[in-house]
Amino acid sequence: MLLAGDRRVLDPEGLSAPWGCAPVKRMLSHFHLCSSLLSFIIYGFVFQVLELQSAPLNVTGSPSPITVAMGEDVVLPCHFSTEQSMQDTEVIWFREHFSPFVHRYKGGQDQYGEQMPQYQGRTELLKDGLAKGSVDLKIFHVRLSDRGNYTCFVHRDSDYDEAVVELKVTAGGSAPLIALERYQGGGIRVACHSAGWYPQPQVLWQDPHGQHLPSLSESITQDKSGLFTAESSIILTRGEHQKLSCSVRHVLRSQEQGSTFYISDPFFQNAHPWMTALGVVLVAVVTLLVIAVYLFKIKGKHEKKIAMQEAALRDRDAKIEKQAEELAWRRYAVPIQEVNVVLDPDTAHCDLVLSDDCKSVKREDTRQDIPDIPERFNPWRCVLGHQGFTSGRYYWEVEVVDGGGWIVGVSREDVKRKGEIEFKPEEGIWAVGQWAGHFQALTSPNRTLLPEIQTPKQIRVSLDYEEGRVAFFSVDEEIPIFTFPLASFEGVKVRPWVWLGPGTWLKMWP
């Protein structure tokens, strides 16, 4: 609205200005333009920050195994896709068990409180790449026992991820030792011997033209430390392959140790057969003496080992017989009820996918968009049965349809759902399964390996609440597997419980 006598004009942007005040108009226009640009930059920055914060943690390792020679140092690669501060990030390298660990980094520094004894003083988390998300682990003076899988576990707030890195350890053995053994088959028997190899090496005989020759005999043995010794023999005749080479080849690293030798014609002539015979006899006598001493030493060890194995077999048979008798009596005295187990989706980890009828579960390792409620397991890939028991005797069966690692059993209703969990009775879990490449019972303080039991495809879980007994049976072989020591559930509800390794699929019966 224009007042009388006020000389103003309306500009194209809708701003009114006095006559002759064009510079003021341009200043206001520039001010509005800068304000809009600044708001756009601030909005983009905030959006990028929120998008970065919401990005999921992604941990990656080496897609192929890391190979290193025994005694050398090795770096196991691991990288996670975040550029946030490492102060609130926890990194744990572990093998078969989450604790004790191989190496732990938390709160901006290394933690050695529960480190595995065999790695003390031999590990280092490389700090140079922390700002870029690199948490590589360096192991000094690698031993043969260090070979296997290592898990890189990265945890920040409620987010976590893990990656597996395989370490292969090799050992290059000694140069082949060639020995003339005796006359045999119209020629001379020659032996080639080399020790200190890992993995198992390959022994090759070659003529001067590089052609491979078949061996007469070959022997590969392994000592207590795991290193292999290779020995091969061949018959050498006059005028044919008198110059030969023996080579021992490393399969993984294409490493080779070789020795070449030549036998002249006089060794094949019969002018002095008694000298040849005497030499052969002396060599044979010395060899027999060495073998006799060696056999005498190992005979006692072998007999002792056999006696211990027979005693262990008798103890096992007695335990199995006792369990079978007790099981038969209990089945006769007290009825046992078969349970139709249905899995509880509210307790399933977000990487576990349940079937529509909740009778089977598969680990997909693809996080589902479901709320992380207090009842849900995290970070361990576990799930509970929907039904719980506070009395009575029950059984159900679990079938391993596909996969590698898995554990089945029972747990208390109040079992820990979040953070680190120890799978043992003290934590409220009684279970058996295929864990870290071994079929075992998750007892405490140490796991009980079950090498005499063939890993079953279908397991029966038996629960006697009043008695406090949890037992497992192989449906495949119809034999008992393991019975835990009697426990007191103290009136707390007990529910079916399973853990799934990568790619595993379990099905509940009936």
Side-chain angles (χ1 to χ4, degrees):
M1 179 178 183
L2 298 177
L3 300 178
D6 190 1
R7 300 181 63 187
R8 294 177 180 269
V9 62
L10 192 65
D11 68 359
E13 296 296 329
L15 299 173
S16 60
W19 290 99
C21 294
V24 175
K25 180 183 68 172
R26 286 194 297 271
M27 289 176 61
L28 292 174
S29 177
H30 286 308
F31 174 77
H32 281 279
L33 178 61
C34 293
S35 299
S36 300
L37 179 60
L38 180 60
S39 300
F40 177 79
I41 293 174
I42 294 175
Y43 174 79
F45 176 77
V46 172
F47 178 79
Q48 290 181 354
V49 170
L50 293 176
E51 184 179 15
L52 178 61
Q53 291 179 347
S54 61
L57 192 66
N58 183 25
V59 177
T60 58
S62 174
S64 58
I66 305 298
T67 304
V68 64
M70 187 173 64
E72 296 182 359
D73 301 340
V74 68
V75 174
L76 303 182
C78 183
H79 186 272
F80 63 95
S81 59
T82 180
E83 298 180 359
Q84 301 182 28
S85 171
M86 285 293 298
Q87 188 66 27
D88 300 326
T89 301
E90 179 182 15
V91 180
I92 298 179
W93 282 90
F94 66 93
R95 296 196 67 181
E96 299 177 0
H97 308 288
F98 196 78
S99 176
F101 48 77
V102 175
H103 195 95
R104 184 180 186 183
Y105 178 86
K106 184 178 182 181
Q109 59 184 349
D110 298 312
Q111 308 286 336
Y112 298 101
E114 299 180 13
Q115 189 179 31
M116 298 175 68
Q118 60 267 38
Y119 291 96
Q120 292 179 0
R122 297 177 53 233
T123 63
E124 177 188 359
L125 191 74
L126 301 183
K127 309 298 192 304
D128 296 343
L130 290 179
K132 298 180 181 180
S134 177
V135 287
D136 298 347
L137 178 69
K138 186 173 185 179
I139 303 178
F140 299 93
H141 309 298
V142 172
R143 305 169 183 171
L144 192 60
S145 59
D146 294 338
R147 67 188 187 278
N149 290 337
Y150 291 75
T151 300
C152 175
F153 181 88
V154 181
H155 179 223
R156 172 184 287 124
D157 299 330
S158 61
D159 202 5
Y160 70 93
D161 199 9
E162 62 186 30
V164 176
V165 179
E166 182 181 359
L167 175 62
K168 293 185 176 181
V169 181
T170 65
S174 61
L177 175 64
I178 298 176
L180 305 180
E181 291 188 332
R182 62 181 178 272
Y183 283 101
Q184 180 178 338
I188 300 175
R189 179 177 176 133
V190 183
C192 178
H193 177 92
S194 181
W197 294 85
Y198 191 88
Q200 180 174 322
Q202 183 181 13
V203 183
L204 299 175
W205 292 94
Q206 290 179 313
D207 64 13
H209 305 290
Q211 297 295 324
H212 293 295
L213 301 175
S215 60
L216 177 66
S217 65
E218 186 171 324
S219 173
I220 304 291
T221 59
Q222 190 174 21
D223 58 21
K224 293 182 180 179
S225 63
L227 298 177
F228 288 94
T229 297
E231 184 169 347
S232 179
S233 62
I234 194 172
I235 300 295
L236 190 63
T237 57
R238 181 181 9 173
E240 184 181 50
H241 311 312
Q242 291 180 222
K243 183 179 179 181
L244 292 180
S245 63
C246 174
S247 59
V248 184
R249 181 173 299 174
H250 205 296
V251 179
L252 286 182
R253 306 187 70 181
S254 299
Q255 181 181 356
E256 186 173 299
Q257 293 273 21
S259 297
T260 303
F261 69 100
Y262 177 82
I263 300 180
S264 60
D265 283 340
F267 283 91
F268 298 96
Q269 296 175 357
N270 298 322
H272 305 286
W274 64 271
M275 295 181 61
T276 304
L278 179 60
V280 173
V281 169
L282 290 176
V283 171
V285 169
V286 173
T287 303
L288 289 175
L289 287 175
V290 173
I291 294 176
V293 173
Y294 176 75
L295 292 177
F296 182 79
K297 288 183 178 180
I298 68 173
K299 179 180 179 182
K301 296 181 180 179
H302 184 65
E303 291 177 350
K304 183 178 180 181
K305 183 178 180 181
I306 292 178
M308 293 176 63
Q309 290 177 345
E310 290 177 350
L313 289 174
R314 288 195 297 270
D315 292 341
R316 188 198 69 176
D317 293 341
K319 290 180 180 178
I320 293 177
E321 184 178 358
K322 182 179 179 181
Q323 290 177 344
E325 293 175 355
E326 182 177 358
L327 179 62
W329 179 87
R330 293 178 66 83
R331 285 178 174 175
Y332 175 79
V334 182
I336 183 170
Q337 180 179 351
E338 184 180 29
V339 180
N340 183 16
V341 174
V342 177
L343 299 175
D344 185 357
D346 290 338
T347 65
H349 184 276
C350 58
D351 285 351
L352 302 183
V353 178
L354 274 63
S355 60
D356 294 338
D357 59 359
C358 295
K359 294 286 291 180
S360 63
V361 56
K362 186 174 184 180
R363 176 170 170 177
E364 296 285 357
D365 282 334
T366 301
R367 299 185 181 182
Q368 303 179 81
D369 186 15
I370 54 178
D372 188 14
I373 57 179
E375 294 83 359
R376 193 177 309 283
F377 284 96
N378 189 7
W380 292 97
R381 277 76 168 182
C382 305
V383 60
L384 293 176
H386 189 275
Q387 182 179 0
F389 314 101
T390 56
S391 63
R393 301 176 67 247
Y394 308 92
Y395 78 90
W396 60 93
E397 295 176 358
V398 183
E399 180 184 359
V400 183
V401 181
D402 190 17
W406 51 269
I407 305 174
V408 301
V410 301
S411 74
R412 290 164 53 108
E413 171 75 23
D414 56 1
V415 68
K416 188 177 179 182
R417 310 291 177 89
K418 307 294 183 182
E420 298 181 8
I421 307 173
E422 289 286 340
F423 297 164
K424 57 184 181 180
E426 288 81 357
E427 295 290 336
I429 296 175
W430 294 262
V432 301
Q434 186 75 11
W435 175 271
H438 300 285
F439 185 55
Q440 54 187 285
L442 277 64
T443 53
S444 179
N446 299 317
R447 306 289 171 81
T448 301
L449 298 180
L450 304 170
E452 69 280 1
I453 303 295
Q454 184 177 0
T455 304
K457 290 295 184 181
Q458 191 164 346
I459 293 180
R460 173 173 295 182
V461 184
S462 177
L463 170 67
D464 187 335
Y465 191 94
E466 285 82 0
E467 187 73 14
R469 185 185 302 276
V470 180
F472 299 87
F473 304 87
S474 171
V475 179
D476 304 351
E477 301 185 29
E478 298 182 351
I479 60 172
I481 295 177
F482 186 81
T483 300
F484 278 86
L486 298 182
S488 175
F489 300 125
E490 301 175 346
V492 179
K493 183 180 293 184
V494 175
R495 299 168 66 177
W497 172 93
V498 297
W499 170 87
L500 288 82
T504 301
W505 180 16
L506 298 181
K507 187 175 182 180
M508 316 303 292
W509 292 92

